[in-house]
């Protein structure tokens, strides 16, 4: 029988209008009614037919199983006909996207705080994805947020927890819950997209790799695809068992948190390819022997070569990148004669472009790359596309990068993060740059003269919706650029991101050290924003 729990209205500051999910400390989610209020606000806001299917995915972090059981009971009370959930409560974010699409579900709840750490004192998150498999667009998240401001009850049924570890169907108050193999559908999709035979042959001929699953969700996927289906040696996947606290590490595949992999790849015993993915499996890190590939370059290099993969032959329609991502992909689009779209940060902005067939591949500087095969970024997909390209071209990553730059030029790029700073200082910094935008044009900072400075605004070419204030861009006459933006994914204080970029043409200086190449941009960023004064920091916490 349906139970109605009456609650106090509880606005969710983490689910501001427009943000795609709620990310908070586990302790916050453990408060009475907290998760339930948010889930009910989702169920009250999203459109679906009676008896609709809901997918529940999770990255296996602490508190995952608890919330999954809550969601199952609430879905039954809210009229869903079927719930699909991965065994053990596991579904990577891209796998959840695929399952939503494959089984024509009305949507899904993805339980993850992505690359943020997990455990009783760490982070948890809930995000709603719509029927196309992608993160809810702003219209939906705004409606969910509005509902959180007035919610006064949530619905549940009286039912025991289900056994999440046994594949098969069970009934919960008249609703079917199907516990599915979290890996099989996704692995099959990858096999349809890529030339597994070519990769298998390269492996048989001696191609080696290491994949660091960071004790997060991609372990079982990587073992099945890389070791079982592609024939890489056992042990190629390291940290392959998903742990509730990710072994105490940040499951963030960057040069700081995947340092061990980086060190291996720069050493004598490096395999041909090093790769890693994050907490929920949507981000990726690519390192060749002796060569780190920035996410922005990875997007450009994958786009330039994507038609090598069978499922993409002859159908590169366009490329999209988020605004802070470097313009390396733009050069590829221009050379190949396809359009390039610049969207705000956030994967949801790619959804309409992918649905409309305007773009085939998209990516972000924050280590996300993906295509029209699902509606999320996809860490293992990116690794497999790299493998397919390397197997076909039979050259090392470093040579591929050099040949790419020699054709398209090189966008030197770095991101400086100031983490956990006071929100007031961060807001003041952004407000002050915004106030000075009018006078920046024509101003010289050392050798750099400002060509254009604006607060980025995006008008969606498909539905015409406008998203304003998506970060500040300062473009210089020489093609270099500085972007200032506040992170939308932190759970403590504010994080300022400063994105620095400099373009060198194909006949320019292609083999220099990134930090040195960006020295003028770093000085200009301080002069424009007064970072030291506003953040109290004399250096960034993280440089990627
Ligand atoms: C999320 C979004 C990404 C976006 C990133 C930005 O990533 O899904 O599309 O690029 O946030 O993060 P920030 O606002 O901190 O710069 P994820 O992997 O955390 O879901």
């Amino acid at each position: 029988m349906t139970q109605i729990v009456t609650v106090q209205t509880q606005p969710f500051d983490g689910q501001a209008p427009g943000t795609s999910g709620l990310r908070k400390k586990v302790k916050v989610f453990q408060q009475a009614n907290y998760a339930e209020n948010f889930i009910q606000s989702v169920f009250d806001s999203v459109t679906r037919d009676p008896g609709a299917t809901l997918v529940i995915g999770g990255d296996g972090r602490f508190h995952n199983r608890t919330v999954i059981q809550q969601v199952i009971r609430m879905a039954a009370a809210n009229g869903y006909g079927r719930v699909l959930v991965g065994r053990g409560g596991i579904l990577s974010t891209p796998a959840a996207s695929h399952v939503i699409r494959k089984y024509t579900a009305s949507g899904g709840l993805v339980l993850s705080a992505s690359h943020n750490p997990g455990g009783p004192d760490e982070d948890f998150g809930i995000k709603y994805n719509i029927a196309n498999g992608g993160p809810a667009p702003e219209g939906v998240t705004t409606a969910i947020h509005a509902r959180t401001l007035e919610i006064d009850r949530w619905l549940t049924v009286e039912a025991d927890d289900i056994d999440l570890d046994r594949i098969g169907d069970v009934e919960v108050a008249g609703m079917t819950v199907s516990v599915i193999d979290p890996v099989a559908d996704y692995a099959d999709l990858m096999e349809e997209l890529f030339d597994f035979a070519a990769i298998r042959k390269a492996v048989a001929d001696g191609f080696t790799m290491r994949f660091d699953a960071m004790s997060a969700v991609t372990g079982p996927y990587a073992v099945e695809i890389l070791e079982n289906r592609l024939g890489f040696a056992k042990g190629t996947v390291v940290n392959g068992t998903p742990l509730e606290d990710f072994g105490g590490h940040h499951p963030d595949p960057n040069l700081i948190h995947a340092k061990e992999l980086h060190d291996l790849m720069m050493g004598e015993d490096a395999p041909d390819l090093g790769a890693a993915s994050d907490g929920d499996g949507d981000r990726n890190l690519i390192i060749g022997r002796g060569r780190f590939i920035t996410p922005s370059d990875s997007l450009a290099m994958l786009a330039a070569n994507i038609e090598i993969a069978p499922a993409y032959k002859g159908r590169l329609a366009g490329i999209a990148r988020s605004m802070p991502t470097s313009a390396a992909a733009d050069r590829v689009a221009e050379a190949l004669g396809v359009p390039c779209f610049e969207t705000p940060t956030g994967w949801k902005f790619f959804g309409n472009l992918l649905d409309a067939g305007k773009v085939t591949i998209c990516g972000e500087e924050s280590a996300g790359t993906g295509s029209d095969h699902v509606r999320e970024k996809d860490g293992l997909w990116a690794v497999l596309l790299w493998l397919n390209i390397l197997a076909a071209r039979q050259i090392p990553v470093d040579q591929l990068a050099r040949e790419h730059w020699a054709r398209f030029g090189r966008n030197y790029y770095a991101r400086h993060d100031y983490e956990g700073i006071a929100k007031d200082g961060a807001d003041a910094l952004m407000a002050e740059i915004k106030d000075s935008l009018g006078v920046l044009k024509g101003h010289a900072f050392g050798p750099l003269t400002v060509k254009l400075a604006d607060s980025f605004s995006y008008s969606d070419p498909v539905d015409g919706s406008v998203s304003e204030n998506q970060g500040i861009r300062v473009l210089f006459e020489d093609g270099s650029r500085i972007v200032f933006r506040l992170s939308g994914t932190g759970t403590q204080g504010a994080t300022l991101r400063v994105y620095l970029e400099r373009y060198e043409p194909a006949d320019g200086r292609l083999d220099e050290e990134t930090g040195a190449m960006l020295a003028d941009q770093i000085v200009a960023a301080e002069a424009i924003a007064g970072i030291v004064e506003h953040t109290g920091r004399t250096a960034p916490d993280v440089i990627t």
Side-chain angles (χ1 to χ4, degrees):
M1 211 185 81
T2 302
Q3 295 179 332
I4 301 174
V5 182
T6 308
V7 291
Q8 299 254 308
T9 300
Q10 187 181 30
F12 291 85
D13 55 337
Q15 173 72 28
T19 59
S20 59
L22 184 64
R23 248 177 229 181
K24 291 279 170 195
K25 292 286 169 203
V26 165
K27 295 259 185 298
V28 175
F29 275 98
Q30 286 171 328
Q31 296 171 86
N33 301 317
Y34 189 87
E36 293 91 337
N37 274 4
F38 180 71
I39 295 159
Q40 186 65 48
S41 297
V42 172
F43 290 165
D44 285 347
S45 309
V46 302
T47 49
R48 62 184 186 277
D49 294 329
T53 298
L54 177 76
V55 172
I56 310 174
D59 65 7
R61 68 177 59 226
F62 183 82
H63 206 49
N64 198 31
R65 286 171 179 261
T66 307
V67 175
I68 288 177
Q69 303 286 1
Q70 289 170 338
V71 174
I72 289 172
R73 282 188 278 269
M74 290 181 67
N78 279 277
Y80 281 94
R82 188 179 181 203
V83 158
L84 296 173
V85 57
R87 184 185 46 220
I90 294 275
L91 268 182
S92 76
T93 293
S97 181
H98 177 52
V99 169
I100 292 171
R101 295 163 68 79
K102 177 167 177 177
Y103 296 97
T104 51
S106 60
L109 284 167
V110 179
L111 311 181
S112 169
S114 187
H115 52 287
N116 295 10
D121 297 316
E122 299 296 353
D123 295 352
F124 191 75
I126 308 180
K127 181 175 91 162
Y128 184 73
N129 282 27
I130 58 172
N132 75 352
E138 285 203 351
V140 177
T141 56
T142 303
I144 295 170
H145 178 255
R147 185 65 191 143
T148 66
L149 300 179
E150 57 189 29
I151 188 162
D152 54 7
R153 57 91 184 94
W154 52 272
L155 309 181
T156 191
V157 296
E158 210 170 305
D160 291 337
D161 284 358
I162 68 147
D163 183 353
L164 282 173
D165 298 307
R166 186 179 307 151
I167 287 187
D169 289 359
V170 292
E171 222 186 77
V172 174
M175 180 187 80
T176 304
V177 181
S178 303
V179 179
I180 61 170
D181 179 332
V183 175
D185 288 323
Y186 177 84
D188 292 348
L189 174 67
M190 294 301 118
E191 206 156 348
E192 282 165 29
L193 300 178
F194 301 114
D195 188 347
F196 271 35
I199 303 172
R200 263 196 298 267
K201 179 165 186 316
V203 176
D205 290 346
F207 187 95
T208 54
M209 79 172 290
R210 174 174 291 188
F211 181 87
D212 190 342
M214 305 191 89
S215 304
V217 80
T218 44
Y221 297 85
V223 169
E224 170 62 15
I225 296 171
L226 299 175
E227 296 184 6
N228 297 350
R229 298 199 188 190
L230 289 172
F232 280 103
K234 297 281 170 226
T236 293
V237 177
V238 297
N239 301 314
T241 303
L243 301 176
E244 286 199 329
D245 66 349
F246 309 120
H249 300 296
H250 283 235
D252 190 354
N254 61 27
L255 298 184
I256 314 297
H257 297 299
K259 186 172 180 305
E260 219 175 288
L261 179 70
H262 180 258
D263 291 348
L264 171 78
M265 294 309 297
M266 297 302 138
E268 293 280 297
D269 301 323
D272 295 297
L273 183 68
S277 191
D278 70 330
D280 61 331
D282 57 3
R283 297 186 175 206
N284 72 87
L285 169 70
I286 298 291
I287 315 178
R289 184 182 291 132
R291 171 65 66 189
F292 162 61
I293 303 291
T294 68
S296 294
D297 269 351
S298 181
L299 171 65
M301 291 168 190
L302 291 177
N305 292 284
I306 192 169
E307 297 210 6
I308 286 174
Y312 300 94
K313 201 155 261 78
R315 63 173 204 88
L316 176 65
I319 306 171
R321 64 164 172 89
S322 66
M323 182 274 279
T325 305
S326 94
D330 304 38
R331 316 256 166 211
V332 173
E334 200 185 338
L336 300 184
V338 298
C340 188
F341 297 85
E342 184 179 35
T343 62
T345 293
W347 203 262
K348 64 187 174 201
F349 291 103
F350 296 136
N352 278 347
L353 297 169
L354 292 164
D355 284 349
K358 288 182 180 295
V359 303
T360 308
I361 181 170
C362 33
E364 298 186 276
E365 52 67 38
S366 55
T369 333
S371 86
D372 54 6
H373 69 292
V374 291
R375 292 295 180 273
E376 286 280 3
K377 52 190 184 276
D378 189 342
L380 265 169
W381 171 89
V383 175
L384 290 166
L385 180 52
W386 266 101
L387 284 172
N388 196 154
I389 292 165
L390 294 171
R393 292 191 52 182
Q394 304 193 352
I395 52 173
V397 172
D398 180 54
Q399 190 183 337
L400 188 144
R402 288 172 189 277
E403 288 182 10
H404 184 96
W405 296 327
R407 178 174 174 200
F408 301 102
R410 179 172 180 184
N411 291 68
Y412 287 92
Y413 187 84
R415 187 178 95 184
H416 289 193
D417 294 337
Y418 300 80
E419 295 180 339
I421 57 175
K423 199 164 174 317
D424 290 353
D427 289 342
L429 177 148
M430 294 299 284
E432 283 171 30
I433 316 179
K434 232 173 134 185
D435 286 347
S436 69
L437 287 176
V439 297
L440 276 176
K441 190 167 178 220
H443 198 95
F445 295 92
L448 303 173
T449 303
V450 178
K451 186 177 168 194
L452 178 134
D454 68 1
S455 174
F456 181 58
S457 165
Y458 177 65
S459 174
D460 187 304
V462 179
D463 67 15
S465 59
V466 175
S467 305
E468 288 176 332
N469 290 323
Q470 299 293 324
I472 288 168
R473 299 189 293 189
V474 183
L475 278 64
F476 298 96
E477 298 284 357
D478 69 347
S480 63
R481 186 181 75 151
I482 304 172
V483 170
F484 301 92
R485 197 185 144 261
L486 298 184
S487 158
T489 62
T491 53
Q492 246 163 2
T495 293
L496 170 70
R497 303 205 195 284
V498 182
Y499 309 81
L500 307 149
E501 178 177 358
R502 165 177 174 175
Y503 178 65
E504 280 291 313
D507 59 358
R509 298 164 61 192
L510 300 180
D511 199 14
E512 306 290 333
E513 199 264 318
T514 298
M517 290 299 275
L518 294 172
D520 292 335
Q521 286 73 12
I522 292 169
V523 172
E526 174 59 33
I528 293 168
I531 301 169
V532 177
E533 182 201 331
H534 286 101
T535 66
R537 307 273 167 87
T538 50
D541 300 283
V542 179
I543 298 178
T544 48

